[in-house]
Amino acid sequence: MAQTVVITGFMGCGKSKIARELAARLDVTMVDLDERITARTGRTPAQLIDQDGEHAFRTIETDTLCDVLQSREAGVIALGGGAWIEQANRELIDEYSCASVWLDVPFEVCWARIEYAGEDRPLGRTKNQAAALYERRRPVYQLATFRIRVAGNEELDHLVSAIRSALSV
Ligand code: S3P
């Protein structure tokens, strides 16, 4: 598969899990952008946002995405929930002719997973804050090439098949 696939969607939509499974099925390398940022800086995205602010984090995020795309190491990239929202990142993704897949998951499902995971998500600390962000971002996620509607109770296999059939891979 020549074209890199980027997986986007709101926090808790299942980007990393689905990207990992898709990459395994396609026998390509998966890169998780948030993990790559942590490996590069020694801090998690949440720590970077808390300590240095969101703007500083977004700069690192764009630099990291640029490096991953430039290296052509990844067949599938799981973005962080806000990466696709930045125009510079969408332009980069376009420049490298990637296919973009938006996992469109209802807010309540994302929120339940965010709460269950118990991880620090500085941009979604309260339900109201996360809900407002979700609504603000939806029109931008809609710019992705493919939209996969996810109810939240599907088998992983089913979702991966739906993505593969959308992408014809
Ligand atoms: C963010 C989502 C996080 C992480 C950072 C910012 C966002 O990734 O990149 O905390 O802006 O939505 P996940 O979507 O994997 O939680």
PDB file of all heavy atoms in Angstrom, residues 18-49:
ATOM      1  N   ILE A  18      -7.682   1.297  16.646  1.00  0.00           N
ATOM      2  CA  ILE A  18      -8.121   0.952  15.294  1.00  0.00           C
ATOM      3  C   ILE A  18      -6.954   1.083  14.310  1.00  0.00           C
ATOM      4  O   ILE A  18      -6.768   0.240  13.433  1.00  0.00           O
ATOM      5  CB  ILE A  18      -9.347   1.808  14.899  1.00  0.00           C
ATOM      6  CG1 ILE A  18     -10.540   1.387  15.765  1.00  0.00           C
ATOM      7  CG2 ILE A  18      -9.670   1.688  13.410  1.00  0.00           C
ATOM      8  CD1 ILE A  18     -11.780   2.242  15.645  1.00  0.00           C
ATOM      9  N   ALA A  19      -6.149   2.115  14.492  1.00  0.00           N
ATOM     10  CA  ALA A  19      -4.991   2.303  13.603  1.00  0.00           C
ATOM     11  C   ALA A  19      -4.028   1.129  13.736  1.00  0.00           C
ATOM     12  O   ALA A  19      -3.476   0.641  12.742  1.00  0.00           O
ATOM     13  CB  ALA A  19      -4.283   3.616  13.925  1.00  0.00           C
ATOM     14  N   ARG A  20      -3.825   0.675  14.966  1.00  0.00           N
ATOM     15  CA  ARG A  20      -2.891  -0.441  15.208  1.00  0.00           C
ATOM     16  C   ARG A  20      -3.392  -1.705  14.508  1.00  0.00           C
ATOM     17  O   ARG A  20      -2.638  -2.415  13.858  1.00  0.00           O
ATOM     18  CB  ARG A  20      -2.748  -0.663  16.723  1.00  0.00           C
ATOM     19  CG  ARG A  20      -1.594  -1.552  17.106  1.00  0.00           C
ATOM     20  CD  ARG A  20      -1.235  -1.427  18.589  1.00  0.00           C
ATOM     21  NE  ARG A  20      -0.684  -0.128  18.923  1.00  0.00           N
ATOM     22  CZ  ARG A  20      -1.242   0.746  19.748  1.00  0.00           C
ATOM     23  NH1 ARG A  20      -2.378   0.470  20.353  1.00  0.00           N
ATOM     24  NH2 ARG A  20      -0.665   1.908  19.987  1.00  0.00           N
ATOM     25  N   GLU A  21      -4.679  -1.954  14.626  1.00  0.00           N
ATOM     26  CA  GLU A  21      -5.268  -3.156  14.021  1.00  0.00           C
ATOM     27  C   GLU A  21      -5.266  -3.050  12.491  1.00  0.00           C
ATOM     28  O   GLU A  21      -4.956  -4.013  11.791  1.00  0.00           O
ATOM     29  CB  GLU A  21      -6.701  -3.329  14.550  1.00  0.00           C
ATOM     30  CG  GLU A  21      -7.351  -4.628  14.174  1.00  0.00           C
ATOM     31  CD  GLU A  21      -6.623  -5.862  14.717  1.00  0.00           C
ATOM     32  OE1 GLU A  21      -5.900  -5.729  15.731  1.00  0.00           O
ATOM     33  OE2 GLU A  21      -6.764  -6.946  14.108  1.00  0.00           O
ATOM     34  N   LEU A  22      -5.572  -1.869  11.985  1.00  0.00           N
ATOM     35  CA  LEU A  22      -5.569  -1.666  10.528  1.00  0.00           C
ATOM     36  C   LEU A  22      -4.165  -1.903   9.967  1.00  0.00           C
ATOM     37  O   LEU A  22      -3.992  -2.598   8.955  1.00  0.00           O
ATOM     38  CB  LEU A  22      -6.041  -0.236  10.202  1.00  0.00           C
ATOM     39  CG  LEU A  22      -5.996   0.178   8.738  1.00  0.00           C
ATOM     40  CD1 LEU A  22      -6.990  -0.641   7.907  1.00  0.00           C
ATOM     41  CD2 LEU A  22      -6.299   1.675   8.573  1.00  0.00           C
ATOM     42  N   ALA A  23      -3.171  -1.351  10.657  1.00  0.00           N
ATOM     43  CA  ALA A  23      -1.787  -1.508  10.200  1.00  0.00           C
ATOM     44  C   ALA A  23      -1.378  -2.980  10.225  1.00  0.00           C
ATOM     45  O   ALA A  23      -0.712  -3.468   9.302  1.00  0.00           O
ATOM     46  CB  ALA A  23      -0.850  -0.680  11.079  1.00  0.00           C
ATOM     47  N   ALA A  24      -1.796  -3.704  11.274  1.00  0.00           N
ATOM     48  CA  ALA A  24      -1.463  -5.138  11.366  1.00  0.00           C
ATOM     49  C   ALA A  24      -2.067  -5.882  10.181  1.00  0.00           C
ATOM     50  O   ALA A  24      -1.415  -6.722   9.560  1.00  0.00           O
ATOM     51  CB  ALA A  24      -1.969  -5.705  12.688  1.00  0.00           C
ATOM     52  N   ARG A  25      -3.309  -5.568   9.861  1.00  0.00           N
ATOM     53  CA  ARG A  25      -3.981  -6.256   8.749  1.00  0.00           C
ATOM     54  C   ARG A  25      -3.318  -5.935   7.412  1.00  0.00           C
ATOM     55  O   ARG A  25      -3.274  -6.777   6.522  1.00  0.00           O
ATOM     56  CB  ARG A  25      -5.435  -5.822   8.632  1.00  0.00           C
ATOM     57  CG  ARG A  25      -6.266  -6.183   9.772  1.00  0.00           C
ATOM     58  CD  ARG A  25      -6.405  -7.721   9.921  1.00  0.00           C
ATOM     59  NE  ARG A  25      -7.133  -7.946  11.140  1.00  0.00           N
ATOM     60  CZ  ARG A  25      -8.430  -7.741  11.238  1.00  0.00           C
ATOM     61  NH1 ARG A  25      -9.139  -7.372  10.208  1.00  0.00           N
ATOM     62  NH2 ARG A  25      -9.020  -7.928  12.399  1.00  0.00           N
ATOM     63  N   LEU A  26      -2.849  -4.698   7.296  1.00  0.00           N
ATOM     64  CA  LEU A  26      -2.242  -4.289   6.027  1.00  0.00           C
ATOM     65  C   LEU A  26      -0.750  -4.614   5.995  1.00  0.00           C
ATOM     66  O   LEU A  26      -0.081  -4.378   4.994  1.00  0.00           O
ATOM     67  CB  LEU A  26      -2.454  -2.779   5.799  1.00  0.00           C
ATOM     68  CG  LEU A  26      -3.910  -2.325   5.666  1.00  0.00           C
ATOM     69  CD1 LEU A  26      -3.983  -0.799   5.591  1.00  0.00           C
ATOM     70  CD2 LEU A  26      -4.557  -2.941   4.434  1.00  0.00           C
ATOM     71  N   ASP A  27      -0.248  -5.111   7.134  1.00  0.00           N
ATOM     72  CA  ASP A  27       1.163  -5.450   7.257  1.00  0.00           C
ATOM     73  C   ASP A  27       2.050  -4.228   6.981  1.00  0.00           C
ATOM     74  O   ASP A  27       3.000  -4.306   6.198  1.00  0.00           O
ATOM     75  CB  ASP A  27       1.497  -6.620   6.303  1.00  0.00           C
ATOM     76  CG  ASP A  27       2.809  -7.273   6.691  1.00  0.00           C
ATOM     77  OD1 ASP A  27       3.214  -7.116   7.858  1.00  0.00           O
ATOM     78  OD2 ASP A  27       3.450  -7.909   5.825  1.00  0.00           O
ATOM     79  N   VAL A  28       1.681  -3.127   7.578  1.00  0.00           N
ATOM     80  CA  VAL A  28       2.483  -1.896   7.459  1.00  0.00           C
ATOM     81  C   VAL A  28       2.769  -1.381   8.880  1.00  0.00           C
ATOM     82  O   VAL A  28       2.187  -1.861   9.848  1.00  0.00           O
ATOM     83  CB  VAL A  28       1.737  -0.793   6.651  1.00  0.00           C
ATOM     84  CG1 VAL A  28       1.535  -1.216   5.205  1.00  0.00           C
ATOM     85  CG2 VAL A  28       0.409  -0.406   7.297  1.00  0.00           C
ATOM     86  N   THR A  29       3.651  -0.417   8.979  1.00  0.00           N
ATOM     87  CA  THR A  29       4.007   0.136  10.286  1.00  0.00           C
ATOM     88  C   THR A  29       2.987   1.186  10.711  1.00  0.00           C
ATOM     89  O   THR A  29       2.543   1.996   9.913  1.00  0.00           O
ATOM     90  CB  THR A  29       5.409   0.791  10.193  1.00  0.00           C
ATOM     91  OG1 THR A  29       6.328  -0.223   9.784  1.00  0.00           O
ATOM     92  CG2 THR A  29       5.852   1.389  11.505  1.00  0.00           C
ATOM     93  N   MET A  30       2.639   1.121  11.998  1.00  0.00           N
ATOM     94  CA  MET A  30       1.737   2.129  12.554  1.00  0.00           C
ATOM     95  C   MET A  30       2.534   3.066  13.459  1.00  0.00           C
ATOM     96  O   MET A  30       3.371   2.597  14.248  1.00  0.00           O
ATOM     97  CB  MET A  30       0.642   1.428  13.359  1.00  0.00           C
ATOM     98  CG  MET A  30      -0.366   2.356  14.001  1.00  0.00           C
ATOM     99  SD  MET A  30       0.164   2.897  15.623  1.00  0.00           S
ATOM    100  CE  MET A  30      -1.376   3.298  16.411  1.00  0.00           C
ATOM    101  N   VAL A  31       2.315   4.347  13.306  1.00  0.00           N
ATOM    102  CA  VAL A  31       2.929   5.312  14.221  1.00  0.00           C
ATOM    103  C   VAL A  31       1.810   6.042  14.952  1.00  0.00           C
ATOM    104  O   VAL A  31       0.866   6.542  14.334  1.00  0.00           O
ATOM    105  CB  VAL A  31       3.832   6.323  13.469  1.00  0.00           C
ATOM    106  CG1 VAL A  31       4.263   7.460  14.392  1.00  0.00           C
ATOM    107  CG2 VAL A  31       5.068   5.622  12.903  1.00  0.00           C
ATOM    108  N   ASP A  32       1.929   6.069  16.288  1.00  0.00           N
ATOM    109  CA  ASP A  32       0.988   6.824  17.106  1.00  0.00           C
ATOM    110  C   ASP A  32       1.662   8.165  17.396  1.00  0.00           C
ATOM    111  O   ASP A  32       2.709   8.217  18.045  1.00  0.00           O
ATOM    112  CB  ASP A  32       0.722   6.034  18.400  1.00  0.00           C
ATOM    113  CG  ASP A  32      -0.301   6.727  19.276  1.00  0.00           C
ATOM    114  OD1 ASP A  32      -0.061   7.877  19.680  1.00  0.00           O
ATOM    115  OD2 ASP A  32      -1.343   6.124  19.553  1.00  0.00           O
ATOM    116  N   LEU A  33       1.063   9.224  16.882  1.00  0.00           N
ATOM    117  CA  LEU A  33       1.720  10.537  16.970  1.00  0.00           C
ATOM    118  C   LEU A  33       1.963  10.970  18.424  1.00  0.00           C
ATOM    119  O   LEU A  33       3.035  11.482  18.746  1.00  0.00           O
ATOM    120  CB  LEU A  33       0.882  11.589  16.215  1.00  0.00           C
ATOM    121  CG  LEU A  33       1.577  12.917  15.950  1.00  0.00           C
ATOM    122  CD1 LEU A  33       2.813  12.758  15.077  1.00  0.00           C
ATOM    123  CD2 LEU A  33       0.613  13.908  15.314  1.00  0.00           C
ATOM    124  N   ASP A  34       0.984  10.736  19.296  1.00  0.00           N
ATOM    125  CA  ASP A  34       1.155  11.119  20.708  1.00  0.00           C
ATOM    126  C   ASP A  34       2.316  10.344  21.347  1.00  0.00           C
ATOM    127  O   ASP A  34       3.108  10.906  22.113  1.00  0.00           O
ATOM    128  CB  ASP A  34      -0.131  10.854  21.503  1.00  0.00           C
ATOM    129  CG  ASP A  34      -1.198  11.921  21.264  1.00  0.00           C
ATOM    130  OD1 ASP A  34      -0.879  12.972  20.696  1.00  0.00           O
ATOM    131  OD2 ASP A  34      -2.355  11.684  21.660  1.00  0.00           O
ATOM    132  N   GLU A  35       2.409   9.052  21.010  1.00  0.00           N
ATOM    133  CA  GLU A  35       3.517   8.253  21.573  1.00  0.00           C
ATOM    134  C   GLU A  35       4.853   8.743  21.046  1.00  0.00           C
ATOM    135  O   GLU A  35       5.855   8.778  21.761  1.00  0.00           O
ATOM    136  CB  GLU A  35       3.345   6.771  21.197  1.00  0.00           C
ATOM    137  CG  GLU A  35       2.314   6.065  22.047  1.00  0.00           C
ATOM    138  CD  GLU A  35       2.073   4.632  21.619  1.00  0.00           C
ATOM    139  OE1 GLU A  35       2.800   4.110  20.744  1.00  0.00           O
ATOM    140  OE2 GLU A  35       1.125   4.026  22.158  1.00  0.00           O
ATOM    141  N   ARG A  36       4.857   9.124  19.773  1.00  0.00           N
ATOM    142  CA  ARG A  36       6.098   9.622  19.161  1.00  0.00           C
ATOM    143  C   ARG A  36       6.540  10.935  19.822  1.00  0.00           C
ATOM    144  O   ARG A  36       7.725  11.172  20.057  1.00  0.00           O
ATOM    145  CB  ARG A  36       5.879   9.809  17.659  1.00  0.00           C
ATOM    146  CG  ARG A  36       7.102  10.123  16.866  1.00  0.00           C
ATOM    147  CD  ARG A  36       8.211   9.112  17.063  1.00  0.00           C
ATOM    148  NE  ARG A  36       7.958   7.806  16.499  1.00  0.00           N
ATOM    149  CZ  ARG A  36       8.269   7.449  15.260  1.00  0.00           C
ATOM    150  NH1 ARG A  36       8.858   8.293  14.465  1.00  0.00           N
ATOM    151  NH2 ARG A  36       8.016   6.222  14.834  1.00  0.00           N
ATOM    152  N   ILE A  37       5.543  11.759  20.137  1.00  0.00           N
ATOM    153  CA  ILE A  37       5.846  13.030  20.817  1.00  0.00           C
ATOM    154  C   ILE A  37       6.439  12.756  22.203  1.00  0.00           C
ATOM    155  O   ILE A  37       7.416  13.379  22.626  1.00  0.00           O
ATOM    156  CB  ILE A  37       4.557  13.898  20.915  1.00  0.00           C
ATOM    157  CG1 ILE A  37       4.167  14.404  19.521  1.00  0.00           C
ATOM    158  CG2 ILE A  37       4.736  15.051  21.901  1.00  0.00           C
ATOM    159  CD1 ILE A  37       2.774  15.012  19.426  1.00  0.00           C
ATOM    160  N   THR A  38       5.865  11.772  22.886  1.00  0.00           N
ATOM    161  CA  THR A  38       6.357  11.417  24.226  1.00  0.00           C
ATOM    162  C   THR A  38       7.783  10.877  24.147  1.00  0.00           C
ATOM    163  O   THR A  38       8.649  11.243  24.960  1.00  0.00           O
ATOM    164  CB  THR A  38       5.420  10.358  24.870  1.00  0.00           C
ATOM    165  OG1 THR A  38       4.100  10.903  24.906  1.00  0.00           O
ATOM    166  CG2 THR A  38       5.857  10.015  26.279  1.00  0.00           C
ATOM    167  N   ALA A  39       8.048  10.051  23.127  1.00  0.00           N
ATOM    168  CA  ALA A  39       9.396   9.483  22.968  1.00  0.00           C
ATOM    169  C   ALA A  39      10.395  10.610  22.667  1.00  0.00           C
ATOM    170  O   ALA A  39      11.536  10.587  23.126  1.00  0.00           O
ATOM    171  CB  ALA A  39       9.388   8.455  21.849  1.00  0.00           C
ATOM    172  N   ARG A  40       9.946  11.579  21.909  1.00  0.00           N
ATOM    173  CA  ARG A  40      10.826  12.649  21.468  1.00  0.00           C
ATOM    174  C   ARG A  40      11.125  13.667  22.570  1.00  0.00           C
ATOM    175  O   ARG A  40      12.238  14.172  22.686  1.00  0.00           O
ATOM    176  CB  ARG A  40      10.103  13.341  20.312  1.00  0.00           C
ATOM    177  CG  ARG A  40      10.795  14.440  19.611  1.00  0.00           C
ATOM    178  CD  ARG A  40       9.902  14.849  18.449  1.00  0.00           C
ATOM    179  NE  ARG A  40      10.434  15.998  17.776  1.00  0.00           N
ATOM    180  CZ  ARG A  40      10.344  16.176  16.468  1.00  0.00           C
ATOM    181  NH1 ARG A  40       9.749  15.311  15.697  1.00  0.00           N
ATOM    182  NH2 ARG A  40      10.862  17.244  15.920  1.00  0.00           N
ATOM    183  N   THR A  41      10.110  13.968  23.381  1.00  0.00           N
ATOM    184  CA  THR A  41      10.276  15.055  24.357  1.00  0.00           C
ATOM    185  C   THR A  41      10.447  14.544  25.782  1.00  0.00           C
ATOM    186  O   THR A  41      10.803  15.317  26.675  1.00  0.00           O
ATOM    187  CB  THR A  41       9.036  15.982  24.349  1.00  0.00           C
ATOM    188  OG1 THR A  41       7.902  15.211  24.772  1.00  0.00           O
ATOM    189  CG2 THR A  41       8.784  16.566  22.967  1.00  0.00           C
ATOM    190  N   GLY A  42      10.122  13.271  26.004  1.00  0.00           N
ATOM    191  CA  GLY A  42      10.178  12.743  27.372  1.00  0.00           C
ATOM    192  C   GLY A  42       8.970  13.166  28.193  1.00  0.00           C
ATOM    193  O   GLY A  42       8.917  12.940  29.404  1.00  0.00           O
ATOM    194  N   ARG A  43       8.004  13.801  27.536  1.00  0.00           N
ATOM    195  CA  ARG A  43       6.785  14.211  28.244  1.00  0.00           C
ATOM    196  C   ARG A  43       5.567  13.830  27.405  1.00  0.00           C
ATOM    197  O   ARG A  43       5.632  13.835  26.174  1.00  0.00           O
ATOM    198  CB  ARG A  43       6.784  15.725  28.493  1.00  0.00           C
ATOM    199  CG  ARG A  43       7.805  16.145  29.523  1.00  0.00           C
ATOM    200  CD  ARG A  43       7.698  17.618  29.842  1.00  0.00           C
ATOM    201  NE  ARG A  43       8.219  18.457  28.765  1.00  0.00           N
ATOM    202  CZ  ARG A  43       8.030  19.774  28.702  1.00  0.00           C
ATOM    203  NH1 ARG A  43       7.302  20.396  29.608  1.00  0.00           N
ATOM    204  NH2 ARG A  43       8.547  20.476  27.712  1.00  0.00           N
ATOM    205  N   THR A  44       4.468  13.537  28.083  1.00  0.00           N
ATOM    206  CA  THR A  44       3.242  13.194  27.349  1.00  0.00           C
ATOM    207  C   THR A  44       2.619  14.484  26.802  1.00  0.00           C
ATOM    208  O   THR A  44       2.903  15.587  27.311  1.00  0.00           O
ATOM    209  CB  THR A  44       2.212  12.523  28.280  1.00  0.00           C
ATOM    210  OG1 THR A  44       1.841  13.477  29.285  1.00  0.00           O
ATOM    211  CG2 THR A  44       2.768  11.275  28.936  1.00  0.00           C
ATOM    212  N   PRO A  45       1.747  14.355  25.790  1.00  0.00           N
ATOM    213  CA  PRO A  45       1.033  15.542  25.321  1.00  0.00           C
ATOM    214  C   PRO A  45       0.343  16.291  26.469  1.00  0.00           C
ATOM    215  O   PRO A  45       0.393  17.524  26.534  1.00  0.00           O
ATOM    216  CB  PRO A  45       0.018  14.962  24.323  1.00  0.00           C
ATOM    217  CG  PRO A  45       0.730  13.774  23.758  1.00  0.00           C
ATOM    218  CD  PRO A  45       1.463  13.184  24.926  1.00  0.00           C
ATOM    219  N   ALA A  46      -0.259  15.550  27.383  1.00  0.00           N
ATOM    220  CA  ALA A  46      -0.953  16.208  28.506  1.00  0.00           C
ATOM    221  C   ALA A  46       0.037  17.024  29.345  1.00  0.00           C
ATOM    222  O   ALA A  46      -0.247  18.164  29.738  1.00  0.00           O
ATOM    223  CB  ALA A  46      -1.644  15.158  29.374  1.00  0.00           C
ATOM    224  N   GLN A  47       1.206  16.459  29.600  1.00  0.00           N
ATOM    225  CA  GLN A  47       2.220  17.195  30.381  1.00  0.00           C
ATOM    226  C   GLN A  47       2.701  18.423  29.615  1.00  0.00           C
ATOM    227  O   GLN A  47       2.876  19.499  30.187  1.00  0.00           O
ATOM    228  CB  GLN A  47       3.408  16.280  30.703  1.00  0.00           C
ATOM    229  CG  GLN A  47       3.067  15.230  31.754  1.00  0.00           C
ATOM    230  CD  GLN A  47       4.143  14.160  31.886  1.00  0.00           C
ATOM    231  OE1 GLN A  47       4.880  13.857  30.938  1.00  0.00           O
ATOM    232  NE2 GLN A  47       4.232  13.572  33.061  1.00  0.00           N
ATOM    233  N   LEU A  48       2.906  18.245  28.314  1.00  0.00           N
ATOM    234  CA  LEU A  48       3.376  19.386  27.503  1.00  0.00           C
ATOM    235  C   LEU A  48       2.352  20.518  27.529  1.00  0.00           C
ATOM    236  O   LEU A  48       2.709  21.691  27.679  1.00  0.00           O
ATOM    237  CB  LEU A  48       3.637  18.933  26.060  1.00  0.00           C
ATOM    238  CG  LEU A  48       4.881  18.065  25.866  1.00  0.00           C
ATOM    239  CD1 LEU A  48       4.840  17.338  24.524  1.00  0.00           C
ATOM    240  CD2 LEU A  48       6.150  18.911  25.963  1.00  0.00           C
ATOM    241  N   ILE A  49       1.077  20.157  27.386  1.00  0.00           N
ATOM    242  CA  ILE A  49       0.022  21.185  27.379  1.00  0.00           C
ATOM    243  C   ILE A  49      -0.050  21.870  28.745  1.00  0.00           C
ATOM    244  O   ILE A  49      -0.114  23.094  28.847  1.00  0.00           O
ATOM    245  CB  ILE A  49      -1.342  20.572  26.984  1.00  0.00           C
ATOM    246  CG1 ILE A  49      -1.309  20.099  25.522  1.00  0.00           C
ATOM    247  CG2 ILE A  49      -2.477  21.578  27.188  1.00  0.00           C
ATOM    248  CD1 ILE A  49      -2.502  19.274  25.073  1.00  0.00           C
TER     249      ILE A  49
END
